[in-house]
Each structure stands twice: as C-alpha cells, then as structure tokens.
C-alpha cells in the first residue's frame, strides 16, 4: 500500500480487547516524479484498548510517498475477541482493506509481497479448509464402478 499526503491507515476495533499494532514502512522522497532518497521506519506502534477507530499510520509530508511494508496486529487480551477492520482513509473517504476476527492470543500479519495471514495462539498460520461436504465427486458416488476403466475394448 502506498500513501500520499492525503492518505492514512486506520483500524476500526469492535471491543475493548487490548490490541497491539506495529507498522514497518519506508518513506520515499520524490522530486519531479523521481525517488531521490528513502528511509526505513519500523517503530510505528499503537496500542488500542477500546472499540474505536484508530490511526495506525499517518499521512506523509507533501513530497513523500509512504509504502507500508508490514503490519502486525495482535489481540493480547486474555478473554475478549476483537474484530479488526483495516481501512485506507483517502481525504476522509474510507476504503475497507481487510476484516478479520482475532480470538484471544491470535494475530494478523500483512506483508507487502504476500498479503494477509492470520496466526493462531501458537504462532502457526490459520488455514481455512474447504467444506468437502459441498464438493461432489463421481469417485465418491456409491454406484460408480471402476471395473471397466482399465480394460482394453476389442
């Protein structure tokens, strides 16, 4: 995600669960549409403790393009669930970027090259499994016979 001077990143939280956010980004100084320098920042931290909208990455100065590299969001509360809605605020016009529900101890990570990934309380990636009951297969049909599939017809 690239931010200009009119953009910022906000998170809408649904509960009072303690939520920690860390953003790593690079600021690229632009002159005549050419990058003249860049600086890495990895210390943009925010703690959210209520159901509210919070700015987690501010808008850069006029001649700077800010690229979000990673964002880590963790529900560190012992018992409350937190639904987070990540939004890009462009000149007061919000665009929802991602929505996730984090159970106690779970986290969410954004990487600019890989997208979003949710992690469970043990730090393992949460993978959604397809509902195999909804998948029909001829091989699962009880009347399907494999007897004649390998024979040669003469």
């Amino acid at each position: 995600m690239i931010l200009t001077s009119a953009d910022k990143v906000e998170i809408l939280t649904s509960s009072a669960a303690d939520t920690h956010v860390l953003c790593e980004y690079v600021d690229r100084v632009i002159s005549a549409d050419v990058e003249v320098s860049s600086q890495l920042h990895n210390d943009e931290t925010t703690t959210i403790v209520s159901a509210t909208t919070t700015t987690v990455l501010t808008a850069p100065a006029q001649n700077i393009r800010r690229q979000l590299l990673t964002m880590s969001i963790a529900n560190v509360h012992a018992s409350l669930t937190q639904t987070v809605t990540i939004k890009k605020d462009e000149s007061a016009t919000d665009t929802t970027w991602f929505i996730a529900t984090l159970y106690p101890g779970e986290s969410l990570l954004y990487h600019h090259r890989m997208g979003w990934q949710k992690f469970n309380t043990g730090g393992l990636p949460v993978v959604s499994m397809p509902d195999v009951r909804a998948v029909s297969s001829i091989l699962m049909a009880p009347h399907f016979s494999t007897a004649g599939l390998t024979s040669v017809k003469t």
Side-chain angles (χ1 to χ4, degrees), residues 81-113:
T81 298
Q82 182 72 282
T83 299
V84 292
T85 303
I86 299 93
K87 303 182 292 182
K88 181 178 181 181
D89 182 329
E90 235 175 312
S91 300
T93 301
D94 289 348
T95 303
T96 298
W97 190 20
F98 197 81
I99 300 172
T101 299
L102 299 176
Y103 295 100
E106 289 187 334
S107 60
L108 185 64
L109 176 68
Y110 167 78
H111 187 277
H112 72 286
R113 291 191 178 150

Side-chain angles (χ1 to χ4, degrees), residues 30-51:
I30 308 297
S31 177
D33 286 333
V34 176
E35 180 179 328
V36 292
S37 68
S38 63
Q39 182 175 3
L40 179 67
H41 300 272
N42 60 2
D43 56 356
E44 189 81 21
T45 59
T46 307
T47 300
I48 305 169
V49 293
S50 63

Side-chain angles (χ1 to χ4, degrees), residues 2 9 12 14 19 38 51 82 88 91 97-98 104-105 129 140 142 147:
I2 305 290
V9 178
L12 171 65
S14 65
T19 305
S38 63
Q82 182 72 282
K88 181 178 181 181
S91 300
W97 190 20
F98 197 81
M129 297 300 295
M140 296 175 71

Side-chain angles (χ1 to χ4, degrees), residues 18-31:
D18 298 54
T19 305
H20 294 179
V21 181
L22 172 66
C23 294
E24 179 182 59
Y25 60 95
V26 64
D27 280 343
R28 302 181 192 284
V29 178
I30 308 297
S31 177

